[in-house]
């Protein structure tokens, strides 16, 4: 008698053959790749469930052959493996269900944004507009919104706390500023790698004309006025500043000004909070390059959406060079310069170079090169003088590899 043809689901479960001392079994479950099955085998002595001694993954044809063979050998389908069948059903239905949920959520977001007064489209996202004012950054028409930025822009619309991590000059600050510039939101920045005190950040009492008055710090100012606050280099912040921030990291989190009789500051709906860091989380491996950076604890990081911003791809960077230095920067010149930057970054990743090669540095070098007509001379102030002599020699070698001296 032939083994019956079974549906994909029905093949799942336990196949058992009684032996003199116990039983021998095969278990069929769904494997990781589509159209593959996992086969486990074991021998059971008495009541003791034996260990798995064979564990393999097969395709449909192979599974059919095995089922026939087990049938011939006297294995009997013992039990539909409730666990694996349920798992298998859930496994298959998860993505379609998630896709339905995602499009319903997108529709809901689109409806709520559509009801906002005015929006501007940035990448794939409609961003509600603020009002013009002196703190709105200037639009950089050469700025390139990469595909990768869509999630971040979406988070800004949804009022998530966004932390951007990445090497210096990768584009962390400019991304936030360029979204703000296009949607007309005022931006204030507070750099933690310097003299920022908790007084500057939260506020302080001062005496003026005989009267004592309170001066709001940058955090309550941004919260009250609906500005976008960028806490730059947050991995250098004092613990007291991080403590003040933590309260505000919750959605609609309020700030209590303890020094001002516990006055509570509620966030304006347009208020947004951002942080940038070079050496946090996934960037911790580069901490030696950013001396003095603190490790941030996980509970603090968990209150943010943390995005690792890598440098633009060579094609994107060449595009930025052409747009920024139009009309003189040609696509061919730009492609070579972007390739040099990519090679320098690869050398940095191999730890042959100890300095990162930022987009800022590349743009500056290119601009000076267009003025001097001499890549080597332009590299002096734009690159070599900023790095060690060893790094300068290596970068000079990379440049010469790409640019033959003028004949
Ligand atoms: N997507 C982009 N399109 C155009 N220019 C870009 C882009 N990303 C970065 N740049 C250029 O690179 C410069 C450096 O970027 P930015 O200041 O945002 O880097 P950063 O990551 O904040 O650096 P740091 O860690 O040193 O603060 C910008 O001023 C801008 O000229
Ligand atoms: Mg920055």
């Amino acid at each position: 008698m032939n083994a019956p043809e079974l549906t994909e689901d029905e093949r799942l479960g336990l196949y058992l053959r009684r032996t003199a001392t116990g039983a021998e079994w095969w278990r069929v479950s769904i494997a990781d790749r589509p159209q593959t099955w996992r086969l486990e085998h074991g021998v059971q002595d008495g009541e003791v469930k034996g260990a798995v001694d064979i564990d393999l993954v097969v395709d449909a044809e192979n599974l059919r052959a095995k089922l026939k063979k087990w049938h011939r050998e006297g294995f009997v389908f013992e039990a539909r493996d409730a666990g694996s069948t349920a798992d298998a059903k859930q496994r298959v239905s998860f993505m379609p269900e998630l896709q339905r949920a995602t499009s319903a959520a997108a529709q809901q977001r689109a409806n709520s944004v559509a009801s906002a007064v005015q929006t501007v489209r940035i990448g794939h996202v409609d961003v509600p507009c603020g009002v013009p004012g002196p703190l709105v950054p200037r639009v950089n028409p050469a700025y390139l919104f990469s595909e990768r930025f869509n999630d971040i822009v979406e988070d800004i619309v949804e009022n998530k706390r966004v932390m951007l991590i990445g090497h210096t000059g990768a584009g962390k600050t400019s991304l936030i500023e360029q979204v703000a510039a296009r949607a007309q939101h005022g931006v204030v920045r507070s750099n933690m790698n310097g003299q920022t005190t908790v007084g500057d950040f939260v506020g302080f009492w001062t005496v003026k004309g005989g009267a004592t008055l309170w001066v709001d710090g940058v955090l309550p100012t941004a919260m009250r006025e609906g500005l976008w606050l960028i806490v730059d280099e947050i991995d250098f912040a004092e613990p007291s500043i991080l403590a003040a921030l933590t309260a505000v990291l919750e959605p609609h989190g309020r700030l209590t000004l303890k020094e001002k009789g516990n006055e509570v500051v509620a966030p304006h709906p347009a208020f947004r909070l951002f942080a940038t860091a070079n050496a946090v989380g996934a960037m911790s491996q580069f901490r030696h390059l950013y001396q003095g950076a603190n490790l941030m604890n996980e509970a603090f990081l968990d209150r943010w959406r943390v995005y690792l911003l890598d440098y633009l791809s060579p094609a994107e960077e060449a595009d930025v060079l052409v747009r920024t230095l139009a009309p003189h920067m040609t696509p061919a010149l730009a492609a070579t310069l972007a390739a040099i930057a990519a090679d320098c970054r690869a050398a940095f990743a191999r730890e042959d170079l100890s300095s990162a090669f930022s987009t800022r540095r590349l743009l500056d070098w290119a601009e000076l090169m267009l003025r001097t007509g001499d890549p080597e001379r332009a590299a002096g102030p734009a690159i070599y003088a900023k790095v060690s002599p060893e790094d300068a020699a290596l970068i000079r070698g990379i440049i010469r590899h790409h640019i033959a001296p003028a004949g």
Side-chain angles (χ1 to χ4, degrees):
M1 186 177 67
N2 278 337
E5 264 306 318
L6 298 172
T7 68
E8 230 174 67
D9 255 10
E10 286 165 348
R11 294 172 187 155
L12 301 172
L14 200 66
Y15 295 77
L16 208 66
R17 177 169 72 171
R18 302 282 163 200
T19 61
T21 53
E24 186 186 351
W25 54 266
W26 283 96
R27 171 179 282 117
V28 182
S29 57
I30 297 261
D32 286 341
R33 276 180 296 115
Q35 292 300 306
T36 59
W37 286 264
R38 183 167 177 203
L39 309 184
E40 290 164 292
H41 175 264
V43 179
Q44 187 176 328
D45 260 333
E47 287 303 302
V48 187
K49 188 176 183 308
V52 173
D53 56 7
I54 301 175
D55 188 345
L56 64 151
V57 172
V58 298
D59 61 13
E61 193 181 341
N62 212 324
L63 173 60
R64 263 194 298 275
K66 292 276 186 210
L67 286 171
K68 283 190 182 135
K69 180 164 174 282
W70 298 341
H71 190 73
R72 281 198 305 274
E73 291 173 355
F75 280 87
V76 175
F77 185 61
E78 183 68 12
R80 281 173 60 80
D81 200 334
S84 68
T85 310
D87 283 350
K89 281 199 173 127
Q90 274 179 9
R91 186 175 181 275
V92 188
S93 64
F94 188 89
M95 286 312 292
E97 189 171 334
L98 179 63
Q99 273 150 14
R100 279 194 297 279
T102 309
S103 53
Q107 187 57 47
Q108 194 178 18
R109 272 198 306 276
N111 293 346
S112 68
V113 169
S115 63
V117 191
Q118 208 191 339
T119 62
V120 60
R121 194 151 184 91
I122 299 178
H124 297 168
V125 188
D126 289 317
V127 183
C129 292
V131 282
L135 291 175
V136 175
R138 209 169 43 85
V139 170
N140 171 5
Y143 189 81
L144 179 82
F145 279 98
S146 163
E147 265 298 295
R148 295 175 284 143
F149 300 164
N150 282 316
D151 279 341
I152 302 174
V153 179
E154 185 92 51
D155 275 354
I156 299 176
V157 174
E158 289 181 9
N159 201 358
K160 297 283 191 279
R161 305 310 186 212
V162 172
M163 183 185 291
L164 302 179
I165 61 173
H167 284 304
T168 178
K172 301 178 290 296
T173 309
S174 52
L175 168 57
I176 302 160
E177 285 185 337
Q178 288 308 306
V179 177
R182 282 162 174 77
Q184 304 221 311
H185 289 277
V187 174
V188 276
R189 286 170 62 177
S190 185
N191 194 304
M192 295 296 131
N193 190 6
Q195 307 304 314
T196 310
T197 62
V198 68
D200 301 327
F201 199 67
V202 175
F204 56 90
W205 288 102
T206 186
V207 178
K208 204 169 184 184
T212 317
L213 55 96
W214 171 261
V215 180
D216 264 344
V218 63
L219 177 61
T221 303
M223 289 177 74
R224 291 191 215 270
E225 295 179 19
L227 300 169
W228 291 14
L229 171 59
I230 307 177
V231 182
D232 266 325
E233 300 188 71
I234 195 165
D235 38 350
F236 287 84
E238 295 178 17
S240 53
I241 291 185
L242 296 181
L245 267 177
T246 301
V248 180
L249 290 177
E250 304 299 328
H252 313 291
R254 291 150 183 261
L255 174 68
T256 306
L257 299 173
K258 291 193 204 74
E259 301 79 356
K260 201 185 174 199
N262 285 330
E263 181 182 312
V264 173
V265 182
H268 183 290
F271 167 67
R272 295 289 184 277
L273 182 61
F274 302 91
T276 72
N278 298 119
V280 158
M283 289 290 293
S284 306
Q285 51 174 324
F286 299 107
R287 282 186 73 225
H288 56 286
L289 296 173
Y290 301 98
Q291 279 178 8
N294 301 312
L295 271 180
M296 314 231 77
N297 72 48
E298 269 181 43
F300 185 78
L301 282 183
D302 269 346
R303 291 173 159 78
W304 300 82
R305 288 270 166 85
V306 182
Y307 288 93
L308 176 60
L309 223 67
D310 210 345
Y311 291 112
L312 296 170
S313 68
E316 288 172 329
E317 210 162 33
D319 191 12
V320 167
L321 278 164
V322 170
R323 290 154 175 254
T324 307
L325 301 171
H328 306 297
M329 176 58 60
T330 65
L333 289 174
T336 298
L337 298 182
I340 290 170
D343 279 0
C344 289
R345 287 169 197 153
F348 173 73
R350 291 194 306 270
E351 299 196 22
D352 288 346
L353 263 184
S354 63
S355 47
F357 202 100
S358 68
T359 301
R360 194 187 291 123
R361 186 173 284 181
L362 179 66
L363 285 167
D364 189 43
W365 177 40
E367 187 186 334
L368 197 50
M369 189 184 312
L370 287 178
R371 196 173 82 198
T372 60
D374 182 345
E376 182 63 18
R377 210 174 107 210
I383 306 172
Y384 301 151
K386 300 173 185 172
V387 301
S388 69
E390 298 77 38
D391 277 5
L394 207 147
I395 297 171
R396 183 176 285 116
I398 293 175
I399 295 173
R400 290 209 175 134
H401 177 77
H402 287 271
I403 304 175

